[in-house]
Amino acid sequence: MQNKGLVKLFAILFGLVSIYQLSFTFKASQIENNAEEIAINKIPETEDDYRAKRSLEEVNYLESIATDTVFNLGIGKFTYNEVKEKAMPLGLDLKGGVSVTLQISVRDILEGLANNSKDPAFNKALDDAEELQKDAQESYLESFYRAFDRIKGDTKLASPDIFYTKDLDGEINSNMSDDEAKQVIERKVDESIVSAFEVLRKRIDEFGVTQPTIQRLGNSGRILVELPGVKDKERAIKLLQNTAQLEFWDAYKGEQFFGFLAQANELLKESVEAEVAKEEEPQDGETAEDDTIDDLLGDATTDSTEVASENNPILDLFRGQGYQGGPVIGRFELKDKAILLDYLNRPEVRALLPAEQRYAKFVFGKPEKDSEIVDLYALVGNRDNTPPLSGAVIVDARNQFDASNRSEVSMQMNAKGAKIWEDMTGKAYAQQSQIAIVLDDIVYSAPGVTTGPIAGGNSSISGNFTLNEAVDLANVLRAGKLPASADIIQSEVVGPSLGQEAIDSGTMSFLIALALVLVWMVFYYGKAGGFADAAMLLNILLIFGILSGLGAVLTLPGIAGIVLTIGMSVDANVLIFERIREELTKGKGQKEAIKDGFSNALSSILDANITTGLTALILFIFGSGPIKGFATTLLIGIGTSLFTAIFITRLLIDWYANKNGKLDFSTAVTKNLFRNISIEFLQKRKIAYIISGAFILLSLGSLFTNSLDQGVDFVGGRTYQVRFAQDVSASEITNALSQPDVFGSADAKTFGDANQLKITTKYKVNETGAEVDEAIRKSLFEALQSHLEGLSYEDFISDSDSKTVGLMKYYKVSPTIADDIKQASFWAILGSLIVVFLYILIRFKRWQFSLGAVAAVFHDVLIVLGIFSLTYKFMPFNMEIDQAFIAAILTVIGYSLNDTVVVFDRIREFFNDHANWEFNRVVNVSLSSTLSRTLNTSLTTLVVLLAIFIFGGDSIRGFMFALIVGVIVGTYSSLFIATPIMFDSVQKLEDKKKK
């Protein structure tokens, strides 16, 4: 080997750099654990909101040392911020946390650009675009254009009724064609999405999460946010979705509306009773028991509303009134909000208002903690329904405590806002009225002005805030409001205790797999195996070092990718050692055999790793989240494996050989294994075709009749992982959750141990919002209560690091993104097949080789799918078809091709070296000569996969099972499918030429 000194230098440098990079990870972990201990010691559990206070204390401590030197390596000193930035981030499945995909509403943006146009064509196009999006693989904007073009007639996008508005004047004019207007609209929509991205980024920065991830996903208006290690997950989700629409309104005095409510009550008596009577009439197929008030009130139907509809629709809902001269009209129960607003906003009811109150805006207040009572306010509205002052004028906001030590938010306005605020407070002082501070259509406070006009633009919001609520509100006001609503279309929440379990199981599977491979290499190849082990340990160090240097997120599938790389990295050493053994058998000296063995194995090693690398690259491009992490580690592992196997192993072996050390590349037990084997593989191909054909027919039959257990990734829905103190019956839980008053339809499966279930439902899958998610979790808790042994709802959903029972993880995917995931998976598999077909065609110059390889891959994929279809109903672990399964399929493709390419490479070599041999002899000898390598590599890879399958945790057991089946089937197909099909196609071509 040339340039040994350069290889040594690179190996030492790469190793030192890797150790250097990983040292930051260990230091960051040490500092963060110290911060957690300080918070625990400072805030006892007896304090109110102790979890929130501990979390805030951790953040404050880490912020206090952000610019302090905390790490001295001798070659440099580093602050905590620098250490944190260089540390390797852990994914949600290892650290716990939240991952959400937010869909910024392009519809909201378009409505804003069109100034909420009432144009019929515009609004119909918006509605039609919503329908098109359910099946389309295009952006909402493209669907809108398509819908508008179908119905526009003579209407133009640049018409004054649509986008030729005051705000867009100068960018859009009435003479523009639709194509010209579209360019402006697309730019403005993109600017709004960028604005939303920046607002979310600022909010996350303020939230104090360590190593967050936020990225735009193409031009779809989707934004991926990952917050590993976040303690209060529900708070984080609300923070992301909060539009922060802050408004300041003048408020009427409550007593001004007492007469109006009485008149409205009398007016509604007759109409509501008529509606109830009409709905109670039995319809076709219905009974009188169908209560129409359900349709009238929706889910808010209660006993109190039923009584109200029969007697006093409004007054019977009354639960008290505000103080004299105050802004509160009355107090009502939280559950009655929807029906009351429906009553008050009916045209015939609003007609009762005097002219000066015609545009009154009825809004509810924020309920007090642990209270179901809310206040009703009437705000001084206007024709355009725009507030006198909005949150856009806020330049700074801070959480603080008032004189009674209650949390509030102080605000500072810009010059324009300060002037309007001074005018508003002056007017309120003169009239002895109140100003309502409204956030997202909820009145947080309505203070009076007792000291005259307030100059300077300083104000504050109080409203029975918890500490976290005040902190978050200050953060979102400081970051600004979102330009459009943000719906969560995909989310995953993992508890920290589950993350720690994943780290423990992942570490165990890693160490066991590593130990087995290290022992096997020494057992099979003796001292040479020890040198391969040394190179492999350096390989692992390099993988972790590169991951840390790149800032790549380490996930549980990522650990699986590293462990799998260990198994696959053995392949290069096995190829080299087998070729050296062949050269020694020919009678060559040790040094010459080593030189020729490395040289002859290089082509096969490169071809095998490039084909695997291509499939990993496609997985990286099309994958997301943990799957991308798996692909990343696999790609890095392939590169480092090549370096360590080709150069480091060679360096160590040459060093030992130059010292006159003797290397047999075998042990007494393995010396004669697979020697002088001569198997007529091609003579058995018809039997193989029959066996494979039977398996394929069985697989296809099961796929068409039994289908597959598609996960929420592909069909949409919500999945909850719940752990119980005792074993539970999955069928009993399924029945309980499928009741009409719970989810209507649900599926519970044992997930790992018998005390843990994976619960899936499509209940309200199209509805978004934190309130909907919270309501569904409460329904889940109530339905499971009899099995939770007195566990409270707070403990059921808590984020305690020591949590052992309750909701451990939940995952949500909307149907829209599920369809996109399915399409991306299809193209990932198809793309990998096309790319590999072309690569093999280029390398081997004959299409028959490509045909054999791709046929074998189809064979392997169909059988893996068939086995999953046949067995998913009774296997004791999760076998859902999700993104992880697609990763497994692509890995199977890569592995199968790896095996096949090694065989094809030997066929090509023998074909060139023995031109006078019959082609069937070339093929049989090639298969026999590579059998030792094929079985050895398959065995080591299987040992690794079995270690992960047994010890790697429940969440990746189905993933590992697919790989285990794939390796077995892939090994078989490279010998009995790929090569025979290639041989038969070559023979047919030769026979045609002879004719």
Side-chain angles (χ1 to χ4, degrees):
M1 182 176 69
Q2 303 295 321
N3 301 317
K4 290 183 180 179
L6 190 62
V7 172
K8 287 180 184 177
L9 178 63
F10 272 121
I12 293 170
L13 287 176
F14 286 163
L16 290 175
V17 169
S18 296
I19 293 171
Y20 168 80
Q21 289 289 349
L22 288 172
S23 67
F24 292 101
T25 301
F26 292 114
K27 188 62 180 179
S29 177
Q30 180 186 21
I31 293 170
E32 286 160 15
N33 288 337
N34 185 42
E36 187 175 356
E37 288 179 13
I38 289 172
I40 290 172
N41 292 332
K42 190 170 181 179
I43 312 293
E45 289 189 11
T46 53
E47 286 196 26
D48 292 338
D49 290 336
Y50 75 91
R51 287 196 182 100
K53 290 178 179 177
R54 283 180 180 178
S55 179
L56 188 62
E57 184 63 34
E58 283 183 51
V59 171
N60 290 338
Y61 172 77
L62 294 175
E63 285 181 351
S64 70
I65 63 169
T67 55
D68 294 350
T69 298
V70 295
F71 196 29
N72 189 347
L73 273 176
I75 59 174
K77 296 179 179 179
F78 301 92
T79 65
Y80 171 67
N81 277 346
E82 291 169 332
V83 170
K84 182 175 70 171
E85 186 177 345
K86 292 177 181 292
M88 181 167 56
L90 297 179
L92 303 184
D93 49 4
L94 295 178
K95 198 172 183 179
V98 173
S99 171
V100 298
T101 301
L102 293 160
Q103 176 71 65
I104 303 300
S105 175
V106 177
R107 175 173 184 150
D108 284 0
I109 297 172
L110 291 175
E111 287 177 335
L113 290 173
N115 200 20
N116 295 311
S117 168
K118 305 299 182 185
D119 183 84
F122 172 73
N123 284 285
K124 186 172 188 337
L126 291 174
D127 293 336
D128 291 350
E130 299 273 4
E131 290 300 314
L132 289 172
Q133 278 289 288
K134 293 178 180 178
D135 301 311
Q137 301 303 310
E138 61 187 6
S139 69
Y140 179 88
L141 190 56
E142 290 169 323
S143 293
F144 168 73
Y145 289 153
R146 201 147 56 90
F148 184 78
D149 288 341
R150 283 200 307 229
I151 63 173
K152 65 180 181 179
D154 296 330
T155 307
K156 292 170 56 178
L157 289 171
S159 70
D161 291 334
I162 306 181
F163 289 112
Y164 181 34
T165 63
K166 182 172 67 174
D167 291 338
L168 292 177
D169 189 24
E171 296 185 81
I172 287 182
N173 60 69
S174 58
N175 296 322
M176 274 187 173
S177 67
D178 279 357
D179 288 338
E180 291 172 325
K182 285 176 182 178
Q183 293 178 15
V184 178
I185 294 166
E186 285 165 12
R187 177 166 52 80
K188 300 300 286 186
V189 167
D190 189 66
E191 287 174 359
S192 295
I193 294 170
V194 170
S195 173
F197 179 88
E198 289 302 315
V199 168
L200 290 169
R201 185 181 59 77
K202 289 177 184 176
R203 291 184 185 182
I204 291 166
D205 289 343
E206 295 283 359
F207 196 60
V209 179
T210 303
Q211 296 170 311
T213 298
I214 176 169
Q215 65 184 87
R216 277 189 70 179
L217 303 178
N219 63 351
S220 62
R222 291 173 183 168
I223 297 174
L224 172 68
V225 179
E226 292 184 342
L227 306 175
V230 64
K231 299 291 185 183
D232 193 338
K233 298 171 181 59
E234 294 309 309
R235 175 188 168 203
I237 290 173
K238 288 177 182 176
L239 178 73
L240 293 174
Q241 284 193 288
N242 192 345
T243 55
Q245 186 72 37
L246 179 65
E247 298 172 341
F248 301 86
W249 295 83
D250 294 313
Y252 289 110
K253 287 182 169 55
E255 58 261 28
Q256 293 178 262
F257 287 81
F258 291 164
F260 162 73
L261 289 186
Q263 293 174 20
N265 182 74
E266 290 302 314
L267 177 67
L268 287 168
K269 274 185 180 180
E270 186 175 341
S271 60
V272 171
E273 287 176 2
E275 289 169 8
V276 172
K278 183 178 179 181
E279 291 292 336
E280 285 179 346
E281 291 177 6
Q283 303 296 322
D284 294 339
E286 295 181 351
T287 68
E289 293 176 355
D290 295 326
D291 199 336
T292 59
I293 202 82
D294 289 346
D295 292 331
L296 177 63
L297 309 185
D299 293 336
T301 300
T302 62
D303 290 342
S304 63
T305 54
E306 289 173 10
V307 172
S309 66
E310 295 172 4
N311 193 3
N312 294 297
I314 292 179
L315 299 184
D316 281 349
L317 302 181
F318 233 72
R319 295 295 179 267
Q321 63 185 50
Y323 62 87
Q324 184 69 26
V328 176
I329 301 173
R331 314 194 76 199
F332 299 86
E333 291 189 33
L334 192 62
K335 58 185 175 58
D336 294 328
K337 280 175 60 175
I339 184 59
L340 189 60
L341 285 178
D342 174 67
Y343 289 160
L344 296 179
N345 289 315
R346 291 186 181 188
E348 66 272 22
V349 172
R350 292 194 68 89
L352 298 173
L353 290 167
E356 64 272 14
Q357 295 175 354
R358 182 177 304 163
Y359 299 111
K361 180 181 175 75
F362 295 106
V363 183
F364 279 98
K366 180 178 181 290
E368 295 182 7
K369 186 179 180 182
D370 300 325
S371 173
E372 295 297 315
I373 303 297
V374 289
D375 295 331
L376 176 67
Y377 297 81
L379 310 182
V380 180
N382 51 61
R383 185 188 298 273
D384 298 326
N385 196 32
T386 56
L389 187 63
S390 74
V393 302
I394 303 299
V395 293
D396 194 18
R398 301 287 168 188
N399 66 290
Q400 62 183 28
F401 296 95
D402 63 14
S404 302
N405 202 33
R406 292 176 300 188
S407 295
E408 65 176 18
V409 177
S410 66
M411 300 174 293
Q412 176 62 49
M413 302 175 187
N414 60 22
K416 180 182 177 182
K419 180 65 175 67
I420 298 173
W421 183 241
E422 186 173 1
D423 293 341
M424 286 185 71
T425 52
K427 180 182 175 183
Y429 175 72
Q431 297 179 354
Q432 295 186 338
S433 60
Q434 288 79 23
I435 297 175
I437 300 175
V438 183
L439 182 70
D440 294 333
D441 281 330
I442 295 174
V443 176
Y444 273 70
S445 61
V449 181
T450 58
T451 58
I454 301 174
N458 290 310
S459 184
S460 64
I461 310 174
S462 59
N464 300 310
F465 293 116
T466 65
L467 176 61
N468 279 342
E469 286 174 336
V471 170
D472 292 344
L473 178 55
N475 287 343
V476 297
L477 291 178
R478 205 157 49 242
K481 72 181 182 70
L482 288 173
S485 61
D487 292 329
I488 293 178
I489 56 174
Q490 183 178 15
S491 65
E492 182 175 15
V493 176
V494 182
S497 58
L498 203 61
Q500 187 58 51
E501 290 174 13
I503 291 176
D504 295 341
S505 61
T507 302
M508 180 180 291
S509 67
F510 175 80
L511 294 175
I512 291 173
L514 179 61
L516 290 172
V517 172
L518 292 176
V519 170
W520 176 260
M521 289 299 288
V522 174
F523 167 76
Y524 201 92
Y525 293 109
K527 292 177 182 177
F531 293 136
D533 287 347
M536 192 187 309
L537 291 173
L538 176 62
N539 179 28
I540 294 167
L541 176 64
L542 294 179
I543 291 173
F544 279 107
I546 292 171
L547 282 171
S548 182
L550 292 176
V553 179
L554 183 65
T555 62
L556 193 57
I559 292 177
I562 294 171
V563 180
L564 184 59
T565 300
I566 295 171
M568 296 180 72
S569 67
V570 171
D571 182 47
N573 285 310
V574 169
L575 280 169
I576 292 166
F577 292 170
E578 290 299 321
R579 295 306 292 259
I580 293 173
R581 289 175 68 177
E582 288 178 16
E583 301 303 323
L584 289 172
T585 303
K586 293 177 183 177
K588 292 183 180 180
Q590 181 172 270
K591 291 185 180 180
E592 186 181 2
I594 290 171
K595 178 183 176 182
D596 291 346
F598 272 92
S599 177
N600 293 336
L602 185 60
S603 176
S604 295
I605 291 171
L606 290 175
D607 283 337
N609 280 277
I610 287 172
T611 51
T612 305
L614 287 172
T615 56
L617 182 62
I618 289 168
L619 187 58
F620 178 82
I621 293 169
F622 286 95
S624 63
I627 306 308
K628 193 179 285 280
F630 173 79
T632 302
T633 54
L634 201 56
L635 284 168
I636 293 171
I638 288 169
T640 55
S641 296
L642 284 172
F643 172 74
T644 53
I646 294 173
F647 296 108
I648 303 304
T649 306
R650 176 73 182 274
L651 196 68
L652 293 172
I653 287 176
D654 282 351
W655 166 78
Y656 190 78
N658 289 333
K659 288 178 57 180
N660 296 318
K662 189 174 186 304
L663 291 171
D664 294 326
F665 295 89
S666 62
T667 62
V669 177
T670 61
K671 186 174 183 179
N672 295 313
L673 278 178
F674 304 109
R675 291 291 180 91
N676 303 316
I677 287 180
S678 180
I679 300 175
E680 299 294 326
F681 284 95
L682 292 178
Q683 290 183 0
K684 299 174 175 58
R685 69 184 187 279
K686 290 184 179 178
I687 297 174
Y689 287 163
I690 292 171
I691 294 172
S692 292
F695 269 107
I696 288 172
L697 285 175
L698 186 63
S699 296
L700 288 173
S702 180
L703 287 169
F704 282 115
T705 57
N706 205 28
S707 190
L708 290 161
D709 184 18
Q710 295 190 64
V712 295
D713 277 350
F714 290 158
V715 297
R718 290 177 172 86
T719 292
Y720 301 89
Q721 186 174 330
V722 182
R723 189 176 293 170
F724 302 84
Q726 305 293 333
D727 293 353
V728 291
S729 167
S731 59
E732 184 180 335
I733 298 296
T734 297
N735 290 334
L737 296 175
S738 298
Q739 295 302 309
D741 58 342
V742 187
F743 296 149
S745 174
D747 184 33
K749 299 174 186 173
T750 301
F751 189 69
D753 295 331
N755 69 328
Q756 187 166 258
L757 296 179
K758 189 172 187 178
I759 298 166
T760 303
T761 179
K762 288 188 177 181
Y763 179 66
K764 292 188 176 180
V765 67
N766 288 309
E767 295 187 30
T768 58
E771 297 82 5
V772 176
D773 292 338
E774 174 74 6
I776 293 174
R777 279 192 297 275
K778 282 185 176 178
S779 296
L780 175 68
F781 168 73
E782 289 166 2
L784 297 177
Q785 209 161 24
S786 60
H787 300 274
L788 294 173
E789 299 187 356
L791 191 72
S792 69
Y793 178 70
E794 287 70 23
D795 290 332
F796 178 71
I797 64 170
S798 73
D799 296 317
S800 170
D801 292 342
S802 57
K803 182 176 179 178
T804 56
V805 295
L807 183 59
M808 310 300 290
K809 174 181 177 180
Y810 59 91
Y811 184 50
K812 168 192 167 186
V813 181
S814 74
T816 301
I817 198 169
D819 189 52
D820 293 348
I821 292 170
K822 191 182 294 187
Q823 291 289 331
S825 301
F826 170 79
W827 288 113
I829 294 175
L830 183 62
S832 66
L833 293 174
I834 293 171
V835 168
V836 169
F837 181 92
L838 293 174
Y839 177 78
I840 294 176
L841 181 63
I842 292 168
R843 285 291 290 142
F844 292 95
K845 305 293 191 297
R846 303 181 76 166
W847 62 265
Q848 291 90 343
F849 285 92
S850 293
L851 177 65
V854 173
V857 165
F858 269 110
H859 165 275
D860 299 345
V861 170
L862 276 176
I863 289 180
V864 172
L865 288 172
I867 289 174
F868 266 65
S869 176
L870 287 164
T871 61
Y872 76 83
K873 290 184 178 178
F874 58 82
M875 279 292 190
F877 51 86
N878 178 49
M879 294 182 72
E880 285 184 352
I881 306 302
D882 52 17
Q883 291 186 83
F885 179 80
I886 298 302
I889 289 294
L890 286 169
T891 307
V892 167
I893 290 172
Y895 186 87
S896 176
L897 290 167
N898 188 308
D899 262 358
T900 301
V901 165
V902 170
V903 173
F904 284 179
D905 199 78
R906 183 58 67 93
I907 292 171
R908 180 177 57 183
E909 179 187 338
F910 277 23
F911 187 78
N912 293 331
D913 292 345
H914 305 283
N916 59 331
W917 284 11
E918 291 288 332
F919 190 50
N920 64 340
R921 183 185 177 189
V922 171
V923 172
N924 282 324
V925 172
S926 298
L927 288 169
S928 297
S929 65
T930 56
L931 189 60
S932 175
R933 173 265 163 199
T934 299
L935 295 180
N936 210 338
T937 301
S938 297
L939 183 60
T940 51
T941 305
L942 275 174
V943 164
V944 169
L945 294 176
L946 284 169
I948 309 173
F949 178 77
I950 296 169
F951 302 103
D954 298 321
S955 62
I956 59 171
R957 198 151 281 147
F959 173 64
M960 286 296 114
F961 181 72
L963 290 180
I964 290 169
V965 174
V967 167
I968 295 171
V969 176
T971 303
Y972 160 82
S973 69
S974 65
L975 297 172
F976 294 103
I977 301 298
T979 307
I981 285 178
M982 179 275 296
F983 173 78
D984 285 339
S985 58
V986 169
Q987 285 296 99
K988 285 183 180 179
L989 190 64
E990 293 296 323
D991 291 343
K992 284 184 179 179
K993 288 180 179 178
K994 289 178 182 179
K995 292 179 180 178

